Amino acid sequence: MGAKVSFIILFMLLIIASCSGKRKQYTPCKSLVLFFHDIIYNGNNAGNATSAIVAAPEGGNLTKLASQFHFGNIAVFDDPITFDNNLHSKPVGRAQGFYIYDTKNTYTSWLGFTFVLNTTQHQGTITFAGADPIMQKTRDISVTGGTGDFFMHRGIATIMTDAFEGEVYFRLRVDIKFYECW
Amino acid sequence: MGAKVSFIILFMLLIIASCSGKRKQYTPCKSLVLFFHDIIYNGNNAGNATSAIVAAPEGGNLTKLASQFHFGNIAVFDDPITFDNNLHSKPVGRAQGFYIYDTKNTYTSWLGFTFVLNTTQHQGTITFAGADPIMQKTRDISVTGGTGDFFMHRGIATIMTDAFEGEVYFRLRVDIKFYECW
Amino acid sequence: MGAKVSFIILFMLLIIASCSGKRKQYTPCKSLVLFFHDIIYNGNNAGNATSAIVAAPEGGNLTKLASQFHFGNIAVFDDPITFDNNLHSKPVGRAQGFYIYDTKNTYTSWLGFTFVLNTTQHQGTITFAGADPIMQKTRDISVTGGTGDFFMHRGIATIMTDAFEGEVYFRLRVDIKFYECW
């Protein structure tokens, strides 16, 4: 009997460990890799542009990113999301929100945006916020919430600049790892 | 004795289920329905206006929402919150933050704002972020944090346009469901 | 044996309490006090300024905060973070993001920003969002996410205006208390 009780207590300790320590494992409960494509309005591409500069520092304008590492620009976007890195692939949703260029001595932005996904595989939204030190190969930002299939999810998104063409087009690869899935 | 031990083990399995599975039930731990009222400054209503356009796309201005589904406008607001749908009811707090119109082919906004509540019933803040596809009857955004009575809360807010008058006044109904309450 | 089983059941009840109630204790799992320093561009301090007004209400401009409690201004910033209240101390990171002045009858802002920390002690980011009623001595905002050493963290940041010089310099003390640490 003593052995049985010992076993029970051991088992209970395992329960305690699994309750309090379940978040220490750092294994994503869900993962997703998506790309989004941003075409900045430059005065001549109204038909194709998916984003626009809407604020600029003193002396700046709304058809050209500001001179000092774009410091002070705010851009609003509604960008197509694709499963692969091809701008012309069928979009699986839209990336909507804004970015700010916020540094004077390097390219750094701050992102606040939402993936609105609408496919047979994924229905719902994922909201992101965080600093994006663009010149680094990979940057981590926070997934602060989700709705629909991503109800109450939280996680980390690793962003990579997958392509960059002049000051008009860039494509970001986003590796989303959810660690809280509900 | 064997039956008792079996019962204990069954009980422990229930504990495990209740620990790891408590978030799968999706029953709100707290709910709240509030309305907020936005009166956009149009050049002639400085006394009543609770929000103002502060950024616009190229060619736009700050007293009229932009022509292409308002794409590129950013508005800053400090709107009264009421318990019912009457603009003239006693405010229970202020909705403070900003919205962005971010789509060129339909009305879609992106919201970042906080409810600052200050009544005998509720003291504290609730912060929201997410995409708002305005033309849909109901839209879910994320409750990303809270303070005071809403310390560390998270949840989902379902937004409905309860009234809309021209381009000057709109009223949103917000059904807040907290699923993480602390 | 009955006593032993009773003890086991009591013990299990404690486990249940510790599982479901662990968040009710409100003891931070990690704390951090940091200062950041904001020098607003006013047309004459381009070399020192760490922030800039990039949006203003109708009639406003980008080198002077707006007249009506700065309502409608958006500022973008990249501010040094220090461990103490000395602007000239060695920075331990950068506070990057934006603030909005969103009230017409008092000084209130809305903050969206990230601490990017890069020292031997702390590597990672902390993202904040919330309303900042500036005239109150202390204000709580939400810590909505983190990366690196602050992976998936959430918490509350208490902000205090530690110094304020005219409309050019202010220093905020930020007491960060994490309640969800991973």
Side-chain angles (χ1 to χ4, degrees):
Chain A
M1 186 59 221
K4 275 185 190 168
V5 171
S6 300
F7 171 74
I8 290 168
I9 289 172
L10 178 65
F11 192 42
M12 290 187 300
L13 291 173
L14 286 174
I15 298 171
I16 299 172
S18 71
C19 283
S20 62
K22 66 172 187 256
R23 288 179 166 171
K24 297 262 162 70
Q25 295 175 27
Y26 299 169
T27 306
C29 42
K30 202 180 286 180
S31 293
L32 209 55
V33 177
L34 294 165
F35 294 80
F36 71 99
H37 308 261
D38 194 74
I39 302 171
I40 306 167
Y41 176 65
N42 68 357
N44 301 312
N45 58 352
N48 293 327
T50 62
S51 70
I53 305 167
V54 300
E58 190 206 12
N61 68 61
L62 303 185
T63 51
K64 192 170 171 13
L65 289 163
S67 55
Q68 204 173 15
F69 295 93
H70 312 338
F71 176 73
N73 279 139
I74 301 181
V76 166
F77 61 91
D78 168 44
D79 292 346
I81 302 171
T82 55
F83 277 135
D84 62 19
N85 67 359
N86 187 340
L87 169 61
H88 302 293
S89 295
K90 186 175 157 53
V92 294
R94 309 296 295 187
Q96 299 180 329
F98 69 102
Y99 51 86
I100 288 174
Y101 286 97
D102 59 14
T103 311
K104 293 199 285 186
N105 57 5
T106 184
Y107 292 105
T108 302
S109 71
W110 196 91
L111 305 169
F113 66 99
T114 298
F115 275 7
V116 182
L117 298 176
N118 189 8
T119 66
T120 47
Q121 282 175 271
H122 304 292
Q123 295 270 348
T125 71
I126 307 167
T127 291
F128 306 82
D132 178 13
I134 298 170
M135 303 310 281
Q136 294 178 19
K137 196 183 174 195
T138 67
R139 302 86 76 175
D140 282 354
I141 62 171
S142 291
V143 175
T144 60
T147 67
D149 289 351
F150 309 100
F151 175 83
M152 292 289 288
H153 285 37
R154 290 177 65 235
I156 304 287
T158 303
I159 292 181
M160 281 158 275
T161 304
D162 196 59
F164 193 82
E165 291 171 16
E167 296 193 340
V168 170
Y169 174 72
F170 67 82
R171 179 171 68 233
L172 294 185
R173 176 188 158 121
V174 187
D175 285 30
I176 306 168
K177 290 189 166 63
F178 296 106
Y179 294 91
E180 189 169 342
C181 283
W182 291 66
Chain B
M1 184 58 222
K4 274 183 191 168
V5 171
S6 298
F7 171 75
I8 291 168
I9 289 173
L10 177 65
F11 192 43
M12 290 187 300
L13 290 174
L14 287 173
I15 298 170
I16 298 173
S18 73
C19 282
S20 62
K22 66 173 190 259
R23 289 179 167 173
K24 297 259 161 72
Q25 296 174 26
Y26 299 169
T27 306
C29 43
K30 200 180 289 180
S31 293
L32 209 54
V33 177
L34 294 165
F35 294 81
F36 71 100
H37 308 262
D38 193 75
I39 302 171
I40 305 166
Y41 176 65
N42 67 359
N44 301 310
N45 60 352
N48 293 327
T50 62
S51 70
I53 305 167
V54 301
E58 191 207 12
N61 68 61
L62 302 184
T63 52
K64 192 168 172 14
L65 289 164
S67 55
Q68 202 174 17
F69 295 93
H70 311 339
F71 177 73
N73 279 138
I74 300 181
V76 166
F77 62 91
D78 169 43
D79 292 346
I81 301 171
T82 56
F83 277 136
D84 62 19
N85 67 359
N86 188 339
L87 170 61
H88 303 293
S89 295
K90 188 175 157 51
V92 295
R94 308 296 294 187
Q96 299 180 328
F98 68 102
Y99 51 84
I100 288 174
Y101 286 97
D102 59 15
T103 311
K104 292 199 285 185
N105 56 4
T106 184
Y107 292 104
T108 301
S109 71
W110 196 91
L111 306 167
F113 67 101
T114 298
F115 275 8
V116 182
L117 297 175
N118 190 9
T119 67
T120 47
Q121 282 174 269
H122 304 290
Q123 296 269 350
T125 71
I126 307 168
T127 290
F128 305 83
D132 178 12
I134 298 170
M135 303 310 282
Q136 295 179 18
K137 197 183 173 194
T138 66
R139 301 85 77 177
D140 283 354
I141 61 171
S142 291
V143 175
T144 60
T147 67
D149 290 351
F150 309 99
F151 174 85
M152 291 290 287
H153 285 37
R154 291 178 64 235
I156 304 288
T158 303
I159 293 181
M160 282 158 275
T161 304
D162 196 58
F164 193 82
E165 291 171 16
E167 296 195 339
V168 170
Y169 173 72
F170 67 82
R171 179 171 68 233
L172 294 185
R173 176 189 158 121
V174 187
D175 285 30
I176 306 168
K177 290 190 168 58
F178 295 106
Y179 294 91
E180 188 168 343
C181 285
W182 291 66
Chain C
M1 185 57 220
K4 274 186 190 167
V5 171
S6 299
F7 171 75
I8 290 168
I9 289 172
L10 177 66
F11 192 42
M12 289 188 300
L13 290 173
L14 287 174
I15 297 170
I16 298 172
S18 72
C19 283
S20 62
K22 66 172 189 258
R23 288 179 167 172
K24 297 260 162 70
Q25 297 175 23
Y26 300 168
T27 306
C29 43
K30 200 180 287 180
S31 293
L32 210 54
V33 177
L34 295 165
F35 295 80
F36 71 97
H37 308 261
D38 193 75
I39 303 170
I40 304 167
Y41 176 65
N42 67 359
N44 301 310
N45 59 352
N48 292 327
T50 63
S51 70
I53 305 166
V54 301
E58 191 207 10
N61 68 60
L62 302 184
T63 52
K64 193 171 172 11
L65 288 163
S67 54
Q68 203 175 16
F69 295 94
H70 312 339
F71 177 74
N73 279 138
I74 301 180
V76 165
F77 62 92
D78 169 43
D79 293 346
I81 301 170
T82 56
F83 277 135
D84 61 19
N85 66 0
N86 188 339
L87 169 61
H88 303 292
S89 294
K90 186 174 158 52
V92 296
R94 310 295 293 188
Q96 299 180 328
F98 69 102
Y99 51 86
I100 289 174
Y101 286 98
D102 59 16
T103 311
K104 292 199 285 186
N105 56 4
T106 185
Y107 292 104
T108 302
S109 72
W110 196 91
L111 306 168
F113 66 100
T114 298
F115 275 8
V116 182
L117 298 175
N118 189 8
T119 67
T120 47
Q121 283 175 269
H122 304 290
Q123 295 270 350
T125 71
I126 307 168
T127 291
F128 306 82
D132 178 13
I134 298 169
M135 305 309 283
Q136 294 179 19
K137 197 183 173 195
T138 66
R139 300 89 74 176
D140 283 354
I141 62 171
S142 293
V143 175
T144 59
T147 66
D149 288 353
F150 309 100
F151 174 85
M152 290 288 289
H153 285 38
R154 290 178 64 236
I156 305 287
T158 302
I159 292 181
M160 281 158 275
T161 304
D162 196 59
F164 193 82
E165 292 170 13
E167 296 194 338
V168 171
Y169 173 72
F170 68 82
R171 178 171 69 233
L172 295 184
R173 176 189 158 121
V174 187
D175 285 30
I176 305 168
K177 290 190 167 60
F178 295 106
Y179 295 91
E180 189 170 341
C181 284
W182 291 65

